[in-house]
Amino acid sequence: MKIGYARVSTKDQNLNLQINALKTAGCEKFYCEKMSAVKDRPELEMMISKLRSGDAVIVWKLDRLGRSLKHLVELVALLKWKGLTSSV
């Protein structure tokens, strides 16, 4: 299943551009957050906990997923360990 993750840093920003792109990419389920990257991200944590082998996580831009390069590398390693598919 293609699962979309979208995030904006403030409550004033809009998720529509990201969600539309994720729909176009064929995502069937979405996890969306409106909060800063330095805080806890409950939707990201929930998404990771529900992922199954063969799922694909789709993001509009990589900076929407990881707080830093180190965090992004850790997340990708975790997703690979969980058996997720990947594409560029």
Side-chain angles (χ1 to χ4, degrees):
M1 173 187 294
K2 289 184 178 181
I3 299 168
Y5 178 76
R7 180 185 61 81
V8 292
S9 299
T10 69
K11 293 184 188 262
D12 296 334
Q13 293 175 324
N14 194 314
L15 289 164
N16 290 343
L17 181 63
Q18 292 180 55
I19 292 171
N20 288 339
L22 296 172
K23 285 179 181 177
T24 300
C27 293
E28 301 171 49
K29 185 160 180 64
F30 302 89
Y31 291 88
C32 303
E33 303 205 82
K34 286 190 170 191
M35 52 184 27
S36 172
V38 297
K39 297 180 181 177
D40 291 332
R41 295 193 283 166
E43 289 294 309
L44 177 62
E45 292 173 20
M46 182 181 299
M47 177 187 73
I48 291 171
S49 74
K50 294 183 183 254
L51 293 172
R52 298 172 295 166
S53 180
D55 286 345
V57 174
I58 311 294
V59 293
W60 182 58
K61 290 184 176 180
L62 286 177
D63 69 349
R64 301 297 82 203
L65 183 62
R67 294 186 308 259
S68 64
L69 180 57
K70 179 181 185 257
H71 183 240
L72 186 59
V73 169
E74 290 169 351
L75 281 172
V76 169
L78 175 62
L79 298 178
K80 185 177 179 181
W81 178 80
K82 289 181 78 74
L84 273 65
T85 61
S86 62
S87 64
V88 176

Coordinates of all heavy atoms in Angstrom, one line a residue:
M1 N 0.8 -1.2 0.0 CA 0.0 0.0 0.0 C 0.9 1.2 0.0 O 1.9 1.3 0.7 CB -0.9 0.0 1.2 CG -1.7 1.3 1.4 SD -2.6 1.5 2.9 CE -3.8 0.2 2.7
K2 N 0.5 2.2 -0.8 CA 1.2 3.5 -0.7 C 0.6 4.4 0.3 O -0.6 4.7 0.4 CB 1.1 4.2 -2.1 CG 1.9 3.6 -3.2 CD 1.8 4.4 -4.5 CE 2.6 3.8 -5.6 NZ 2.5 4.6 -6.8
I3 N 1.5 4.8 1.2 CA 1.1 5.6 2.4 C 1.8 7.0 2.3 O 3.0 7.1 2.2 CB 1.4 4.9 3.7 CG1 0.7 3.6 3.7 CG2 1.1 5.8 4.9 CD1 1.1 2.7 4.8
G4 N 1.0 8.1 2.4 CA 1.6 9.4 2.3 C 1.8 10.0 3.7 O 1.0 9.8 4.6
Y5 N 2.9 10.7 3.8 CA 3.2 11.5 5.0 C 3.4 13.0 4.6 O 4.2 13.3 3.7 CB 4.4 11.0 5.7 CG 4.8 11.8 7.0 CD1 4.0 11.6 8.1 CD2 5.8 12.7 6.9 CE1 4.3 12.4 9.3 CE2 6.1 13.4 8.1 CZ 5.4 13.3 9.2 OH 5.6 14.1 10.3
A6 N 2.7 13.9 5.2 CA 2.8 15.3 5.0 C 3.0 16.0 6.3 O 2.4 15.6 7.3 CB 1.6 15.8 4.2
R7 N 3.8 17.1 6.2 CA 4.0 17.9 7.4 C 4.3 19.3 7.1 O 5.0 19.6 6.1 CB 5.2 17.4 8.2 CG 5.6 18.1 9.5 CD 6.9 17.6 10.1 NE 8.0 17.8 9.3 CZ 8.7 18.9 9.1 NH1 8.3 20.0 9.7 NH2 9.8 19.0 8.3
V8 N 3.7 20.2 7.8 CA 4.0 21.6 7.8 C 4.5 22.0 9.2 O 4.2 21.4 10.2 CB 2.8 22.5 7.3 CG1 2.5 22.3 5.9 CG2 1.6 22.3 8.2
S9 N 5.3 23.1 9.2 CA 6.0 23.5 10.5 C 5.1 24.4 11.4 O 5.4 24.4 12.6 CB 7.3 24.2 10.2 OG 8.1 23.4 9.5
T10 N 4.1 25.0 10.8 CA 3.3 25.9 11.7 C 1.8 25.6 11.4 O 1.5 25.2 10.3 CB 3.6 27.4 11.4 OG1 3.1 27.8 10.1 CG2 5.0 27.7 11.6
K11 N 1.0 26.0 12.3 CA -0.5 25.8 12.1 C -1.0 26.7 11.0 O -2.1 26.5 10.4 CB -1.2 26.0 13.4 CG -0.9 24.9 14.4 CD -1.7 25.1 15.7 CE -1.2 24.1 16.7 NZ -2.0 22.9 16.8
D12 N -0.3 27.8 10.7 CA -0.7 28.7 9.6 C -0.5 28.2 8.2 O -1.1 28.7 7.3 CB 0.0 30.1 9.8 CG -0.4 30.8 11.1 OD1 -1.5 30.5 11.7 OD2 0.4 31.6 11.6
Q13 N 0.5 27.3 8.1 CA 0.8 26.7 6.8 C -0.3 25.7 6.4 O -1.0 25.2 7.2 CB 2.2 26.1 6.8 CG 3.3 27.1 7.0 CD 4.6 26.4 7.1 OE1 4.7 25.3 7.7 NE2 5.6 27.1 6.6
N14 N -0.4 25.5 5.0 CA -1.4 24.6 4.5 C -0.8 23.3 4.0 O 0.2 23.3 3.3 CB -2.1 25.4 3.4 CG -3.4 24.8 3.0 OD1 -3.5 23.6 2.7 ND2 -4.4 25.6 2.8
L15 N -1.5 22.2 4.2 CA -1.0 20.9 3.7 C -1.5 20.5 2.3 O -1.1 19.5 1.8 CB -1.5 19.8 4.7 CG -0.9 19.8 6.1 CD1 -1.7 18.9 7.1 CD2 0.5 19.2 6.0
N16 N -2.4 21.3 1.7 CA -3.1 21.0 0.5 C -2.1 20.6 -0.6 O -2.4 19.7 -1.4 CB -4.0 22.1 0.1 CG -5.2 22.2 1.0 OD1 -5.5 21.3 1.7 ND2 -5.9 23.3 0.9
L17 N -1.1 21.4 -0.9 CA -0.1 21.1 -1.9 C 0.5 19.7 -1.8 O 0.5 19.0 -2.7 CB 1.0 22.2 -2.0 CG 2.0 22.1 -3.1 CD1 1.4 22.2 -4.5 CD2 3.1 23.1 -2.9
Q18 N 0.9 19.4 -0.6 CA 1.5 18.1 -0.3 C 0.5 17.0 -0.5 O 0.8 16.0 -1.1 CB 2.1 18.0 1.1 CG 3.3 19.0 1.3 CD 3.8 18.9 2.7 OE1 4.1 17.8 3.2 NE2 3.9 20.0 3.4
I19 N -0.7 17.1 0.1 CA -1.7 16.1 0.0 C -2.1 15.9 -1.5 O -2.3 14.7 -1.9 CB -2.9 16.5 0.9 CG1 -2.5 16.4 2.3 CG2 -4.1 15.5 0.6 CD1 -3.5 16.9 3.3
N20 N -2.3 16.9 -2.2 CA -2.6 16.7 -3.7 C -1.5 16.0 -4.4 O -1.8 15.1 -5.2 CB -2.9 18.1 -4.3 CG -4.2 18.7 -3.9 OD1 -5.1 18.1 -3.4 ND2 -4.2 20.0 -4.0
A21 N -0.3 16.3 -4.1 CA 0.8 15.5 -4.8 C 0.8 14.1 -4.3 O 1.1 13.2 -5.1 CB 2.2 16.2 -4.4
L22 N 0.5 13.8 -3.1 CA 0.5 12.4 -2.6 C -0.7 11.6 -3.2 O -0.5 10.5 -3.5 CB 0.4 12.4 -1.0 CG 1.6 13.0 -0.3 CD1 1.3 13.1 1.2 CD2 2.9 12.2 -0.6
K23 N -1.8 12.3 -3.4 CA -2.9 11.7 -4.0 C -2.6 11.3 -5.5 O -2.9 10.2 -6.0 CB -4.2 12.6 -4.0 CG -4.9 12.6 -2.7 CD -6.0 13.6 -2.7 CE -6.7 13.7 -1.4 NZ -7.8 14.6 -1.4
T24 N -1.9 12.3 -6.2 CA -1.5 12.0 -7.5 C -0.5 10.9 -7.6 O -0.5 10.1 -8.6 CB -0.8 13.3 -8.1 OG1 -1.8 14.4 -8.1 CG2 -0.4 13.1 -9.5
A25 N 0.3 10.7 -6.6 CA 1.2 9.6 -6.5 C 0.6 8.2 -6.2 O 1.2 7.2 -6.2 CB 2.3 9.8 -5.5
G26 N -0.7 8.3 -5.9 CA -1.5 7.0 -5.7 C -1.6 6.6 -4.2 O -1.9 5.4 -3.9
C27 N -1.3 7.5 -3.3 CA -1.4 7.1 -1.9 C -2.8 6.8 -1.5 O -3.8 7.5 -1.9 CB -0.8 8.3 -1.0 SG 0.9 8.5 -1.2
E28 N -3.0 5.8 -0.7 CA -4.3 5.3 -0.2 C -4.6 5.8 1.2 O -5.8 5.8 1.6 CB -4.4 3.8 -0.3 CG -4.1 3.3 -1.7 CD -4.0 1.8 -1.7 OE1 -4.8 1.1 -1.2 OE2 -3.0 1.3 -2.3
K29 N -3.6 6.1 1.9 CA -3.7 6.5 3.3 C -2.8 7.6 3.6 O -1.7 7.7 3.0 CB -3.4 5.3 4.3 CG -3.7 5.6 5.7 CD -3.8 4.3 6.5 CE -4.1 4.6 8.0 NZ -5.3 5.3 8.3
F30 N -3.1 8.5 4.5 CA -2.3 9.7 4.8 C -2.1 9.9 6.3 O -3.1 9.7 7.0 CB -3.0 11.0 4.2 CG -3.3 10.9 2.7 CD1 -4.4 10.3 2.2 CD2 -2.3 11.3 1.8 CE1 -4.7 10.2 0.9 CE2 -2.5 11.2 0.5 CZ -3.7 10.7 0.0
Y31 N -1.0 10.4 6.6 CA -0.6 10.8 8.0 C -0.1 12.3 7.8 O 0.8 12.5 7.1 CB 0.4 9.9 8.6 CG -0.1 8.5 8.9 CD1 0.0 7.5 8.0 CD2 -0.7 8.3 10.1 CE1 -0.5 6.3 8.2 CE2 -1.2 7.0 10.4 CZ -1.1 6.0 9.5 OH -1.6 4.7 9.7
C32 N -0.8 13.2 8.5 CA -0.5 14.6 8.3 C -0.3 15.3 9.6 O -1.0 15.0 10.6 CB -1.7 15.3 7.6 SG -2.1 14.6 6.0
E33 N 0.7 16.2 9.7 CA 1.1 16.9 10.9 C 1.2 18.4 10.6 O 1.8 18.8 9.6 CB 2.3 16.3 11.5 CG 2.2 14.9 11.8 CD 3.1 14.3 12.9 OE1 2.7 14.5 14.0 OE2 4.2 13.8 12.5
K34 N 0.8 19.2 11.6 CA 1.0 20.6 11.6 C 1.8 21.0 12.9 O 1.2 21.3 13.9 CB -0.3 21.3 11.5 CG -1.0 21.3 10.2 CD -2.2 22.2 10.2 CE -2.7 22.4 8.8 NZ -3.7 23.5 8.7
M35 N 3.1 20.8 12.8 CA 3.9 21.1 14.0 C 5.4 21.2 13.6 O 5.8 20.7 12.5 CB 3.7 20.2 15.1 CG 3.9 18.7 14.8 SD 3.5 17.5 16.1 CE 2.4 18.4 17.1
S36 N 6.2 21.8 14.4 CA 7.6 22.0 14.1 C 8.3 20.6 14.1 O 7.9 19.7 14.8 CB 8.2 22.9 15.2 OG 9.6 22.9 15.1
A37 N 9.4 20.5 13.3 CA 10.1 19.3 13.2 C 10.9 19.0 14.5 O 11.3 17.8 14.6 CB 11.1 19.4 12.0
V38 N 11.1 19.9 15.3 CA 11.9 19.6 16.5 C 11.1 19.0 17.7 O 11.6 18.6 18.7 CB 12.7 20.8 17.0 CG1 13.7 21.3 16.0 CG2 11.7 22.0 17.4
K39 N 9.8 19.0 17.5 CA 8.9 18.5 18.5 C 8.6 17.0 18.2 O 8.9 16.5 17.2 CB 7.6 19.3 18.6 CG 7.9 20.7 19.1 CD 6.6 21.5 19.1 CE 6.9 22.9 19.5 NZ 5.7 23.7 19.5
D40 N 7.9 16.4 19.1 CA 7.4 15.0 18.9 C 6.4 15.1 17.7 O 5.7 16.0 17.5 CB 6.7 14.5 20.1 CG 7.6 14.2 21.3 OD1 8.8 13.9 21.0 OD2 7.1 14.3 22.4
R41 N 6.5 14.0 16.9 CA 5.6 13.9 15.8 C 4.7 12.6 15.9 O 5.1 11.6 15.4 CB 6.4 13.9 14.5 CG 7.1 15.3 14.3 CD 7.6 15.5 13.0 NE 8.8 14.8 12.8 CZ 9.4 14.6 11.6 NH1 8.8 15.0 10.5 NH2 10.5 13.9 11.5
P42 N 3.6 12.7 16.6 CA 2.8 11.6 16.8 C 2.2 10.9 15.6 O 2.1 9.7 15.5 CB 1.6 12.1 17.7 CG 1.6 13.6 17.5 CD 3.0 14.0 17.2
E43 N 1.9 11.6 14.5 CA 1.4 11.0 13.3 C 2.5 10.2 12.6 O 2.3 9.1 12.1 CB 0.9 12.1 12.3 CG -0.4 12.7 12.8 CD -1.5 11.7 12.8 OE1 -1.8 11.0 11.8 OE2 -2.2 11.6 13.8
L44 N 3.8 10.7 12.6 CA 4.9 9.9 12.1 C 5.1 8.6 12.9 O 5.2 7.6 12.3 CB 6.2 10.7 12.1 CG 7.5 10.0 11.6 CD1 7.3 9.6 10.1 CD2 8.7 10.9 11.8
E45 N 5.1 8.7 14.2 CA 5.2 7.6 15.0 C 4.1 6.6 14.8 O 4.3 5.4 14.7 CB 5.3 8.0 16.5 CG 6.6 8.8 16.8 CD 6.6 9.3 18.2 OE1 5.8 8.9 19.1 OE2 7.4 10.3 18.5
M46 N 2.8 7.1 14.7 CA 1.7 6.2 14.4 C 1.9 5.5 13.1 O 1.6 4.3 12.9 CB 0.4 6.9 14.5 CG -0.8 6.0 14.3 SD -2.4 6.9 14.3 CE -2.4 7.6 15.9
M47 N 2.3 6.2 12.0 CA 2.5 5.7 10.7 C 3.5 4.5 10.8 O 3.2 3.4 10.3 CB 2.9 6.7 9.7 CG 3.2 6.2 8.3 SD 3.9 7.4 7.2 CE 5.6 7.5 7.9
I48 N 4.6 4.8 11.4 CA 5.7 3.8 11.5 C 5.2 2.6 12.2 O 5.5 1.4 11.8 CB 6.9 4.4 12.1 CG1 7.6 5.4 11.2 CG2 8.0 3.3 12.5 CD1 8.7 6.2 11.8
S49 N 4.4 2.7 13.2 CA 3.9 1.6 14.0 C 3.0 0.7 13.2 O 2.8 -0.5 13.5 CB 3.3 2.0 15.3 OG 2.0 2.6 15.1
K50 N 2.3 1.3 12.2 CA 1.3 0.6 11.5 C 1.8 0.1 10.1 O 1.1 -0.6 9.4 CB 0.1 1.5 11.2 CG -0.6 1.8 12.6 CD -1.9 2.6 12.3 CE -2.5 2.9 13.7 NZ -3.7 2.2 14.0
L51 N 3.0 0.4 9.8 CA 3.6 -0.1 8.5 C 3.7 -1.6 8.4 O 4.1 -2.2 9.4 CB 4.9 0.6 8.2 CG 4.8 2.1 8.0 CD1 6.2 2.7 7.9 CD2 4.1 2.4 6.7
R52 N 3.5 -2.1 7.3 CA 3.7 -3.6 7.0 C 4.7 -3.8 5.9 O 4.9 -2.9 5.1 CB 2.3 -4.2 6.7 CG 1.3 -4.1 7.8 CD 0.0 -4.6 7.3 NE -0.5 -3.7 6.3 CZ -1.5 -3.9 5.4 NH1 -2.1 -5.0 5.5 NH2 -1.8 -3.0 4.5
S53 N 5.2 -5.0 5.9 CA 6.2 -5.3 4.8 C 5.5 -5.1 3.5 O 4.3 -5.5 3.3 CB 6.6 -6.8 5.0 OG 7.5 -7.1 4.0
G54 N 6.2 -4.5 2.5 CA 5.6 -4.2 1.2 C 5.0 -2.9 1.1 O 4.7 -2.4 -0.1
D55 N 4.7 -2.2 2.2 CA 4.2 -0.8 2.1 C 5.2 0.1 1.5 O 6.4 -0.2 1.6 CB 3.7 -0.3 3.5 CG 2.5 -0.9 4.0 OD1 1.7 -1.5 3.2 OD2 2.2 -0.8 5.2
A56 N 4.8 1.2 1.0 CA 5.7 2.3 0.5 C 5.3 3.6 1.1 O 4.1 4.0 1.0 CB 5.6 2.4 -1.0
V57 N 6.2 4.3 1.7 CA 6.0 5.6 2.3 C 6.4 6.6 1.2 O 7.5 6.6 0.7 CB 6.8 5.8 3.6 CG1 6.6 7.3 4.1 CG2 6.4 4.8 4.6
I58 N 5.4 7.5 1.0 CA 5.6 8.6 -0.1 C 5.6 9.9 0.7 O 4.7 10.2 1.5 CB 4.5 8.6 -1.1 CG1 4.3 7.1 -1.7 CG2 4.8 9.6 -2.2 CD1 5.4 6.6 -2.4
V59 N 6.6 10.8 0.3 CA 6.6 12.2 0.9 C 6.8 13.1 -0.3 O 7.3 12.8 -1.3 CB 7.7 12.4 1.9 CG1 7.4 11.6 3.2 CG2 9.1 12.1 1.4
W60 N 6.3 14.3 -0.1 CA 6.4 15.4 -1.2 C 7.9 15.8 -1.3 O 8.4 15.9 -2.5 CB 5.5 16.5 -0.8 CG 5.5 17.7 -1.8 CD1 5.1 17.6 -3.1 CD2 5.8 19.0 -1.5 NE1 5.2 18.8 -3.6 CE2 5.6 19.7 -2.7 CE3 6.2 19.7 -0.4 CZ2 5.8 21.1 -2.8 CZ3 6.4 21.1 -0.4 CH2 6.2 21.8 -1.6
K61 N 8.6 16.0 -0.2 CA 10.0 16.3 -0.2 C 10.6 15.6 1.0 O 9.9 15.4 2.0 CB 10.2 17.8 -0.1 CG 9.9 18.6 -1.3 CD 10.3 20.1 -1.0 CE 10.0 21.0 -2.2 NZ 10.4 22.3 -2.0
L62 N 11.9 15.2 0.9 CA 12.5 14.5 2.0 C 12.6 15.4 3.3 O 12.5 14.8 4.4 CB 13.9 14.1 1.6 CG 14.0 12.9 0.6 CD1 15.5 12.7 0.2 CD2 13.3 11.7 1.2
D63 N 12.6 16.7 3.2 CA 12.7 17.5 4.4 C 11.4 17.5 5.2 O 11.3 17.9 6.3 CB 13.1 18.9 4.1 CG 12.1 19.7 3.3 OD1 11.1 19.1 2.8 OD2 12.3 21.0 3.2
R64 N 10.3 17.0 4.6 CA 9.0 16.8 5.3 C 9.1 15.6 6.2 O 8.4 15.5 7.1 CB 7.9 16.7 4.3 CG 7.7 17.8 3.4 CD 7.3 19.1 4.0 NE 8.5 19.8 4.5 CZ 8.5 20.7 5.5 NH1 7.4 21.0 6.1 NH2 9.6 21.3 5.9
L65 N 10.0 14.7 5.9 CA 10.1 13.4 6.7 C 11.1 13.5 7.8 O 10.8 13.3 9.0 CB 10.4 12.2 5.8 CG 10.5 10.9 6.4 CD1 9.1 10.5 7.0 CD2 11.0 9.8 5.4
G66 N 12.3 13.9 7.5 CA 13.4 13.9 8.5 C 13.7 15.3 9.0 O 13.6 16.3 8.3
R67 N 14.1 15.4 10.3 CA 14.4 16.6 10.9 C 15.8 17.1 10.5 O 16.1 18.3 10.5 CB 14.4 16.5 12.5 CG 13.0 16.3 13.0 CD 13.1 16.3 14.5 NE 14.1 15.4 15.1 CZ 13.8 14.2 15.6 NH1 12.6 13.7 15.6 NH2 14.8 13.4 16.1
S68 N 16.7 16.1 10.2 CA 18.0 16.4 9.8 C 18.5 15.2 8.9 O 17.8 14.2 8.8 CB 18.9 16.5 11.0 OG 19.0 15.2 11.7
L69 N 19.7 15.4 8.3 CA 20.2 14.3 7.5 C 20.3 13.0 8.4 O 20.0 11.9 7.9 CB 21.5 14.7 6.9 CG 22.1 13.6 6.0 CD1 21.2 13.2 4.9 CD2 23.4 14.1 5.4
K70 N 20.8 13.2 9.6 CA 21.0 12.0 10.5 C 19.7 11.3 10.8 O 19.5 10.1 10.7 CB 21.7 12.4 11.8 CG 21.9 11.3 12.7 CD 22.6 11.8 14.0 CE 22.9 10.7 14.9 NZ 22.0 10.5 16.0
H71 N 18.7 12.1 11.1 CA 17.3 11.6 11.4 C 16.8 10.9 10.2 O 16.1 9.8 10.3 CB 16.4 12.7 11.9 CG 15.1 12.2 12.3 ND1 13.9 12.7 11.7 CD2 14.7 11.3 13.2 CE1 12.9 12.1 12.2 NE2 13.3 11.3 13.1
L72 N 16.9 11.5 9.0 CA 16.4 10.9 7.8 C 17.1 9.6 7.5 O 16.4 8.6 7.1 CB 16.6 11.9 6.6 CG 16.0 11.5 5.3 CD1 14.5 11.3 5.3 CD2 16.4 12.5 4.2
V73 N 18.4 9.5 7.7 CA 19.1 8.2 7.4 C 18.6 7.1 8.4 O 18.4 6.0 8.1 CB 20.6 8.4 7.6 CG1 21.4 7.1 7.6 CG2 21.1 9.2 6.4
E74 N 18.4 7.5 9.7 CA 17.8 6.6 10.7 C 16.4 6.1 10.3 O 16.1 4.9 10.4 CB 17.8 7.3 12.1 CG 19.2 7.5 12.6 CD 19.2 8.4 13.9 OE1 18.1 9.0 14.2 OE2 20.3 8.5 14.5
L75 N 15.6 7.0 9.8 CA 14.2 6.6 9.4 C 14.3 5.7 8.2 O 13.5 4.7 8.2 CB 13.4 7.9 9.1 CG 12.8 8.7 10.3 CD1 12.2 10.0 9.8 CD2 11.8 7.8 11.0
V76 N 15.1 6.0 7.3 CA 15.2 5.1 6.1 C 15.7 3.7 6.5 O 15.1 2.7 6.0 CB 16.1 5.7 5.0 CG1 16.4 4.7 3.9 CG2 15.4 7.0 4.4
A77 N 16.6 3.6 7.4 CA 17.1 2.3 7.9 C 16.0 1.6 8.6 O 15.8 0.4 8.4 CB 18.3 2.5 8.8
L78 N 15.2 2.3 9.4 CA 14.1 1.7 10.1 C 13.1 1.1 9.1 O 12.6 0.0 9.2 CB 13.5 2.6 11.1 CG 12.2 2.2 11.8 CD1 12.5 1.0 12.7 CD2 11.6 3.3 12.6
L79 N 12.7 2.0 8.1 CA 11.7 1.5 7.1 C 12.2 0.3 6.3 O 11.5 -0.6 6.0 CB 11.4 2.7 6.2 CG 10.8 3.9 6.9 CD1 10.5 5.0 5.9 CD2 9.5 3.6 7.6
K80 N 13.5 0.3 6.0 CA 14.1 -0.8 5.3 C 14.0 -2.1 6.2 O 13.6 -3.1 5.7 CB 15.5 -0.5 4.9 CG 16.1 -1.6 4.0 CD 17.5 -1.2 3.6 CE 18.1 -2.3 2.8 NZ 19.5 -2.0 2.3
W81 N 14.3 -1.9 7.4 CA 14.3 -3.0 8.4 C 12.8 -3.6 8.5 O 12.6 -4.8 8.6 CB 14.8 -2.6 9.7 CG 14.7 -3.6 10.8 CD1 15.6 -4.7 11.0 CD2 13.7 -3.8 11.8 NE1 15.2 -5.4 12.0 CE2 14.1 -5.0 12.5 CE3 12.6 -3.1 12.1 CZ2 13.3 -5.4 13.6 CZ3 11.8 -3.5 13.2 CH2 12.2 -4.7 13.9
K82 N 11.8 -2.7 8.4 CA 10.4 -3.1 8.5 C 10.0 -3.8 7.2 O 8.8 -4.2 7.1 CB 9.5 -2.0 8.8 CG 9.7 -1.5 10.3 CD 8.8 -0.4 10.7 CE 7.4 -0.7 10.9 NZ 7.0 -1.4 12.1
G83 N 10.8 -3.8 6.1 CA 10.5 -4.4 4.9 C 9.7 -3.6 3.9 O 9.0 -4.1 3.0
L84 N 9.8 -2.3 4.0 CA 9.1 -1.4 3.1 C 9.8 -1.3 1.7 O 11.0 -1.5 1.6 CB 9.0 0.0 3.7 CG 7.8 0.2 4.5 CD1 7.9 -0.7 5.8 CD2 7.6 1.6 4.9
T85 N 9.1 -1.1 0.7 CA 9.6 -0.9 -0.6 C 10.1 0.5 -0.8 O 9.7 1.4 0.0 CB 8.6 -1.2 -1.7 OG1 7.5 -0.3 -1.6 CG2 8.1 -2.6 -1.6
S86 N 11.0 0.8 -1.7 CA 11.5 2.1 -1.9 C 11.6 2.4 -3.4 O 11.8 1.5 -4.2 CB 12.8 2.3 -1.2 OG 13.8 1.5 -1.8
S87 N 11.5 3.7 -3.7 CA 11.7 4.1 -5.1 C 12.2 5.6 -5.1 O 12.0 6.3 -4.1 CB 10.4 4.0 -5.9 OG 9.4 4.8 -5.4
V88 N 12.8 6.0 -6.2 CA 13.2 7.4 -6.3 C 12.5 8.1 -7.3 O 12.1 7.5 -8.4 CB 14.7 7.4 -6.6 CG1 15.2 8.8 -6.7 CG2 15.5 6.7 -5.5

